[in-house]
Amino acid sequence: VSGVFNAAIFYNDFTNQQLQLGFQDNPADNITVTPTAGPVNAGESEIYGAELEAVIVPVEGRRISAGYTYLQTEINSIETFVLPPSSPYVTAGQQHPGDELVLSPENKYTITARYTLPLDESLGSVTLGADFIHTDEQLSNYDDRNSTHPDIAGLGTLPDTDLFNVNVSWDSIGGSPVDLLIFGTNVTNEKYFAFVPGLASGTGFETAVLAQPRMYGVQLTWRFDGE
């Protein structure tokens, strides 16, 4: 049995970090403006964690690999960002020291299995593959958690996901320079949001970006160099 094992730890200390702040109507004037958002250099944070990777080849033609990431993030401080008195906007950022950074799941792991059929080389190489990807829940924005509407308050955190992908590859079909790939992603058709921006406090409604749906496809590759 052959295999590979890699491990790494990391630590990052950021200063003068860009944070996304919302900008909405200034109640002190009579000017109506459209709510917006933008990054400002106003924060300090730290990011640390570990990454593990393992590959095992129990017998020829079979390969199992796994990867794991542990991630911790925290905003250490936020500088006060003051707009000019003449500005029709006021800041509306809801992040606070002690909050985690958005889109930073604590745990993520993948398991991949590959099996190459024992065929004669003249037929080419046929490999069956499957991937499982788990991602913990993660914060998407800082604003929605403060909403009094229960449906909006729950949108600030993206739920954990379990995705399953499969594929079949046939390289050098019959000894030719043609490769075939048949794949399916998110085959269990899990429906989830990839990002929710946190617009509700300024607009009264929320939007979201849908994640990749279940897809099937075929890819044909012709290698003109014949290799």
Side-chain angles (χ1 to χ4, degrees):
V1 177
S2 62
V4 175
F5 179 77
N6 295 317
I9 58 175
F10 55 88
Y11 176 81
N12 295 283
D13 186 7
F14 292 101
T15 59
N16 200 29
Q17 181 182 8
Q18 287 192 326
L19 297 176
Q20 185 87 346
L21 287 186
F23 299 90
Q24 61 187 31
D25 273 342
N26 187 345
D29 58 36
N30 296 319
I31 302 175
T32 300
V33 292
T34 302
T36 186
V40 296
N41 292 2
E44 297 182 359
S45 71
E46 61 179 4
I47 301 173
Y48 62 90
E51 294 181 337
L52 304 175
E53 178 188 23
V55 179
I56 297 177
V57 183
V59 295
E60 184 177 357
R62 292 173 174 84
R63 178 187 177 96
I64 301 172
S65 60
Y68 170 71
T69 300
Y70 172 74
L71 180 64
Q72 283 291 330
T73 66
E74 183 178 352
I75 297 176
N76 292 330
S77 65
I78 301 176
E79 298 179 13
T80 301
F81 187 78
V82 180
L83 294 172
S86 59
S87 174
Y89 287 99
V90 292
T91 58
Q94 299 299 320
Q95 57 267 70
H96 306 288
D99 282 340
E100 63 184 275
L101 295 175
V102 296
L103 304 180
S104 301
E106 182 177 354
N107 298 284
K108 181 176 182 178
Y109 58 83
T110 63
I111 301 174
T112 301
R114 296 285 185 268
Y115 175 56
T116 301
L117 300 180
L119 301 177
D120 188 272
E121 291 184 1
S122 62
L123 299 176
S125 176
V126 177
T127 301
L128 313 178
D131 306 303
F132 174 78
I133 306 168
H134 169 84
T135 305
D136 276 2
E137 68 177 19
Q138 52 192 308
L139 191 67
S140 183
N141 66 75
Y142 301 102
D143 289 6
D144 287 347
R145 61 186 175 180
N146 300 320
S147 175
T148 57
H149 196 293
D151 291 336
I152 291 180
L155 293 175
T157 299
L158 305 178
D160 61 344
T161 58
D162 294 309
L163 303 179
F164 189 60
N165 306 320
V166 296
N167 61 79
V168 178
S169 63
W170 187 359
D171 296 336
S172 301
I173 299 175
S176 70
V178 179
D179 301 333
L180 175 67
L181 174 65
I182 303 173
F183 63 88
T185 60
N186 190 12
V187 293
T188 57
N189 201 27
E190 185 164 350
K191 299 178 175 65
Y192 63 101
F193 294 137
F195 179 67
V196 181
L199 302 176
S201 62
T203 63
F205 66 88
E206 187 58 278
T207 64
V209 177
L210 293 175
Q212 187 181 72
R214 177 169 56 193
M215 295 193 302
Y216 301 104
V218 177
Q219 177 179 307
L220 195 65
T221 303
W222 184 293
R223 290 174 279 108
F224 290 99
D225 59 5
E227 298 180 358

